[in-house]
Amino acid sequence: MNLPNLREELALLPGPSLADGQPTWTLHDPARNLFFRIDWPSFEVLQRWDMQDAALIAGDISASTTLQLDAADVEAVVRFLGNNQLTQPAGPGSARQLAERLAQTTGGPLKWLLHHYLFFRIPLLRPDAWLGRWQGVAGLFYTPGFLLLTLAALLLGLAQVARRWDMFAATLVDTFNWDGLMAYGAALFAVKLLHELGHAFTAKRYGCRVPTMGLAFLVMWPVAYTDTNETWRLTNRLQRLHVACAGIATELIVAAWATLAWTLLPDGAARSAAFVLATTSWVATLAINASPFMRFDGYFILSDGLDLPNLHERSFALARWKLREWLFGLGEEAPEQFGASRQCWLIGFAWLTWVYRLVLCLGIAVLVYHFSVKVIGIMLFIVEMLWFVLGPIQRELAAWRQRWPRIRRSRRAHASAAVLLVLLAATAVPWPGRMTTSAMLRPAESWPVFAPSGARIDGLPHAQGALVDKGSALLQLHVPDLLMKREALLSRVERLRWQAAASGLSADTRNQLLSNEDALAMAQAELAGIDLELLHYAPRAPYAGRLHYLDPDLRPGDWVGQKERLALLVKEGSAWQVETWVNEDLIQRVAPGDAATFINDAGQGPVLRLKVAAVDRDASRTLPRPELAAHLGGHVLTREKAGQLVPERAVYRVLLEVAAGDADAGAALAALSAHSWRGRVTIHTRGEAPAGHYARQAIAALLGESGF
């Protein structure tokens, strides 16, 4: 067959040698500024392209070199060049083929919109000439002296930050406001601009052309970019590595000098700017650019360091091949031949990248949903899932369909299908349920003794642990203001009673009788209210029980504060109960009668056998047991509002009682006295299929977010 003509503007450049010493070449497409690395056999084919016959080319290569090729190998090179549009169109159908290829690449209007919503570039500058003019100044930053000074500044700045860490952390917290966020945004823009200039100046330093710089939008988020594709011309791998590292190195230099400036400058705007610049540089470098799982600097550094161009694509292809071998055992050749350790590393890297991108895409989808109009947010969320998650899965399933006849005959495939069916069946079968939460063990009937307001103790008739009869006074409190008010009211009542009695003795005062009687009635009612209020300062036992938690240091004459708890009266023979709160997504699985176990955090006593006594039908607005809050060691996430703990999520109160007939539990509870104990309760709930559980959660979330 006649080979197509190569495009005349293509340039063939020498490339770096591979790790095994094999030479490579770089094919440059200047129209698209794309570079293709080709191996030795492909180079030999291109040298003989004018022979125009695949069999003749293969025969000549086999005869004149140590390579042994056949016509199929030459045809593979032809297909590679044609698929990448490196040959000239020829023949009557060439225009139609080019149009079809363009339509396949760009897709319809919907695909174009989706692609440009997810990622697009806006070139802004053609900096090549400007970079050349400033090379002399930029060269100062590449000198060993400047690098040593920067290292010294870094060490000194970090040492000073370590000494003033409390001040550094407090300053960081103080910047979490709108003004601080705006400052961080401006600093991030400046740091990223310097980052891209670092790439550009380094590439220009090694003789590469930098055609454009501008903005790229990743899911509508602007980031700067520099076109450094010309670095593929470099035959020295270390030079390409230097260009890849230049951005991160620039940010680290900025971070080092800004950190030192923060430690040396006095308080003011300059010091605040240095702090924002330093923290932005550190975070942007370590948290974003250093990641090798996205096509940021970390990826290109790793790719050039390992001398593995297109690291993602090659590792993904290897991981997909290995997955098919694990599942189906097709015996296909690996896409590339690597050593055993390198192959395992690449497969592991591919899986880590997939997991990282899945988590990142889910996070982006959630952010897009929450920060957009509700309907648009749902649509963009679906786009994210279809493009980034379901798209790769669909393409892999298409590869499986191509191999379906071989998969059907594979024993490994039958075994994998059986395992898959078992797993699917396991998700549809109800599993025994079990949930563990923090809980409080306490007496079921207890009565706290409080001081209604600030008062003086006049009497303590009972000691700690004393048995108190029903109606007995528990303590006597003295409230001077209230008693003085009562004395004044008594005098007023006596005076009004005398005036009312005297009003009927003469005709002159008889017309004041009704008003005096009304005033007397009001004074007597007020006196009765004070007497009723005084009863709260002499509390009496509502039932027979034992007095606990009485402070042994309290003495008559001591003053106590308002709402201060002074003691706890526990009803004699009171049962014990366990109280906990369960999240709304789990409460449906809890029902009265479910068995449970409890063990206190101190690890004292036997495991108590319980059963669920009651489940609240309404969610709790507040958490009355602060011991169960997450920040105090419990499990309920709360926030403080108006002095009360408010759960972050809907939680429901569950009450459990000690199972009857548990002799060990009875003895242990008798030894516990009246203390409340925090521990862990494990409730054995009714079985539920995992598939049904997650489907119900998904449907509930969808209905809740959609407003139905």
Side-chain angles (χ1 to χ4, degrees):
M1 72 172 187
N2 292 328
L3 304 186
N5 294 325
L6 296 175
R7 287 169 48 194
E8 296 180 355
E9 70 273 22
L10 298 180
L12 188 61
L13 310 171
S17 299
L18 300 180
D20 58 0
Q22 181 183 166
T24 64
W25 288 261
T26 301
L27 195 60
H28 180 210
D29 179 0
R32 295 178 293 169
N33 199 29
L34 295 179
F35 294 83
F36 302 88
R37 179 179 293 182
I38 61 174
D39 55 9
W40 181 24
S42 301
F43 173 73
E44 295 292 342
V45 171
L46 289 176
Q47 278 192 315
R48 296 164 175 80
W49 198 263
D50 56 355
M51 299 178 68
Q52 289 294 304
D53 186 271
L56 292 178
I57 292 174
D60 188 69
I61 293 174
S62 300
S64 58
T65 69
T66 57
L67 296 172
Q68 298 297 316
L69 303 183
D70 55 23
D73 297 322
V74 178
E75 292 171 359
V77 175
V78 174
R79 285 194 300 272
F80 165 77
L81 296 173
N83 292 336
N84 289 281
Q85 303 177 34
L86 300 175
T87 58
Q88 297 180 12
S94 59
R96 179 178 55 82
Q97 293 175 0
L98 289 176
E100 291 176 353
R101 183 176 298 171
L102 178 62
Q104 184 179 6
T105 303
T106 60
L110 180 60
K111 183 177 179 180
W112 182 91
L113 178 62
L114 292 178
H115 177 75
H116 286 77
Y117 149 69
L118 297 170
F119 182 80
F120 63 92
R121 288 180 173 182
I122 301 178
L124 298 177
L125 301 173
R126 297 186 180 276
D128 192 67
W130 179 83
L131 293 172
R133 289 194 298 271
W134 285 88
Q135 272 298 308
V137 176
L140 299 176
F141 296 98
Y142 295 90
T143 59
F146 176 77
L147 296 180
L148 289 176
L149 282 176
T150 301
L151 180 60
L154 174 64
L155 296 177
L156 181 59
L158 291 179
Q160 292 297 318
V161 168
R163 291 180 54 191
R164 308 179 193 178
W165 178 251
D166 292 340
M167 181 187 301
F168 187 88
T171 306
L172 182 62
V173 173
D174 291 341
T175 57
F176 288 157
N177 50 48
W178 285 113
D179 292 338
L181 292 177
M182 292 179 63
Y184 277 121
L188 184 62
F189 177 82
V191 167
K192 288 304 174 186
L193 179 59
L194 294 174
H195 175 107
E196 296 303 322
L197 287 175
H199 286 305
F201 274 113
T202 307
K204 191 64 178 177
R205 180 180 178 84
Y206 290 125
C208 298
R209 186 174 65 93
V210 181
T212 59
M213 295 179 67
L215 287 177
F217 288 81
L218 181 63
V219 195
M220 304 308 295
W221 182 262
V223 293
Y225 83 93
T226 301
D227 187 350
T228 57
N229 280 343
E230 287 277 333
T231 55
W232 282 101
R233 291 176 174 270
L234 301 175
T235 58
N236 189 327
R237 182 166 58 92
L238 290 179
Q239 291 180 345
R240 293 201 313 276
L241 188 61
H242 290 165
V243 176
C245 294
I248 290 180
T250 302
E251 292 190 22
L252 291 177
I253 291 171
V254 172
W257 287 102
T259 303
L260 179 62
W262 178 81
T263 63
L264 299 179
L265 292 172
D267 288 337
R271 192 181 195 211
S272 299
F275 178 85
V276 171
L277 200 58
T279 51
T280 302
S281 301
W282 287 117
V283 172
T285 298
L286 300 178
I288 301 176
N289 290 321
S291 172
F293 303 118
M294 298 295 289
R295 298 185 73 88
F296 297 136
D297 288 353
Y299 165 74
F300 294 105
I301 292 171
L302 182 63
S303 179
D304 288 334
L306 298 175
D307 196 21
L308 288 174
N310 300 321
L311 175 61
H312 279 165
E313 290 76 8
R314 296 165 73 179
S315 63
F316 293 170
L318 196 62
R320 290 193 295 267
W321 163 79
K322 194 62 176 180
L323 177 64
R324 296 171 197 144
E325 292 302 309
W326 283 337
L327 293 177
F328 311 129
L330 300 178
E332 294 181 344
E333 289 290 334
E336 291 185 74
Q337 297 300 323
F338 296 100
S341 59
R342 175 65 65 90
Q343 184 182 91
C344 291
W345 184 91
L346 288 171
I347 293 173
F349 175 76
W351 280 99
L352 286 175
T353 303
W354 288 341
V355 172
Y356 176 88
R357 289 187 176 183
L358 175 62
V359 174
L360 181 64
C361 291
L362 288 174
I364 292 175
V366 171
L367 288 176
V368 168
Y369 170 75
H370 283 290
F371 289 97
S372 300
V373 180
K374 184 74 72 173
V375 175
I376 298 177
I378 293 175
M379 294 176 61
L380 296 181
F381 182 92
I382 295 173
V383 168
E384 295 282 330
M385 292 296 97
L386 291 176
W387 187 273
F388 287 114
V389 179
L390 298 181
I393 295 176
Q394 187 273 334
R395 288 191 290 272
E396 180 61 19
L397 292 177
W400 291 7
R401 285 195 297 270
Q402 293 177 356
R403 296 166 174 81
W404 180 242
R406 297 172 59 195
I407 292 175
R408 291 177 57 185
R409 297 191 299 268
S410 171
R411 291 186 177 182
R412 178 76 63 83
H414 295 162
S416 299
V419 172
L420 178 61
L421 290 175
V422 170
L423 293 177
L424 291 176
T427 62
V429 174
W431 289 22
R434 173 180 296 186
M435 67 178 67
T436 301
T437 63
S438 59
M440 292 298 298
L441 172 66
R442 61 181 183 84
E445 296 183 78
S446 59
W447 191 67
V449 181
F450 288 94
S453 63
R456 187 186 69 202
I457 297 178
D458 271 0
L460 291 171
H462 303 286
Q464 163 70 17
L467 182 61
V468 179
D469 294 331
K470 180 180 179 180
S472 298
L474 300 177
L475 74 160
Q476 183 66 46
L477 299 174
H478 178 78
V479 191
D481 293 343
L482 200 59
L483 291 176
M484 291 176 61
K485 186 176 181 180
R486 186 177 186 278
E487 292 297 330
L489 276 173
L490 282 174
S491 300
R492 183 183 175 193
V493 167
E494 289 299 325
R495 178 171 56 81
L496 290 173
R497 184 180 291 116
W498 179 86
Q499 290 178 353
S503 297
L505 298 179
S506 65
D508 295 335
T509 59
R510 192 173 293 117
N511 57 351
Q512 299 179 1
L513 177 62
L514 292 178
S515 61
N516 288 334
E517 288 178 347
D518 290 342
L520 176 61
M522 292 178 61
Q524 289 175 335
E526 190 174 353
L527 179 62
I530 290 180
D531 289 337
L532 182 62
E533 187 176 355
L534 284 172
L535 291 178
H536 293 95
Y537 292 90
R540 296 182 177 274
Y543 43 69
R546 291 190 180 275
L547 203 63
H548 295 279
Y549 298 125
L550 187 63
D551 190 347
D553 294 331
L554 282 179
R555 296 289 185 273
D558 292 345
W559 286 82
V560 294
Q562 183 179 7
K563 300 299 181 181
E564 180 178 348
R565 199 178 87 163
L566 303 177
L568 182 71
L569 180 67
V570 178
K571 187 175 183 180
E572 188 70 7
S574 172
W576 287 74
Q577 64 185 15
V578 172
E579 194 175 24
T580 188
W581 276 260
V582 178
N583 290 336
E584 60 180 341
D585 55 339
L586 299 175
I587 195 63
Q588 299 295 332
R589 300 169 56 187
V590 182
D594 288 345
T597 56
F598 174 88
I599 183 169
N600 62 66
D601 288 343
Q604 299 176 359
V607 176
L608 301 180
R609 294 197 298 271
L610 313 170
K611 68 175 181 179
V612 176
V615 180
D616 285 358
R617 298 176 63 88
D618 298 323
S620 300
R621 296 183 180 273
T622 61
L623 181 66
R625 305 291 175 191
E627 299 91 342
L628 302 185
H631 68 279
L632 295 177
H635 72 285
V636 182
L637 294 175
T638 60
R639 67 180 185 277
E640 189 173 354
K641 183 178 181 181
Q644 294 182 318
L645 295 177
V646 180
E648 292 285 358
R649 300 177 57 189
V651 292
Y652 294 78
R653 178 175 173 266
V654 177
L655 197 64
L656 304 99
E657 60 186 18
V658 179
D662 192 343
D664 293 338
L669 293 173
L672 289 178
S673 182
H675 290 284
S676 295
W677 298 84
R678 188 178 69 184
R680 310 294 294 180
V681 63
T682 301
I683 304 175
H684 302 273
T685 62
R686 63 179 182 269
E688 183 181 24
H693 171 70
Y694 291 116
R696 188 177 67 251
Q697 283 188 318
I699 293 173
L702 182 62
L703 292 178
E705 293 296 334
S706 60
F708 292 107

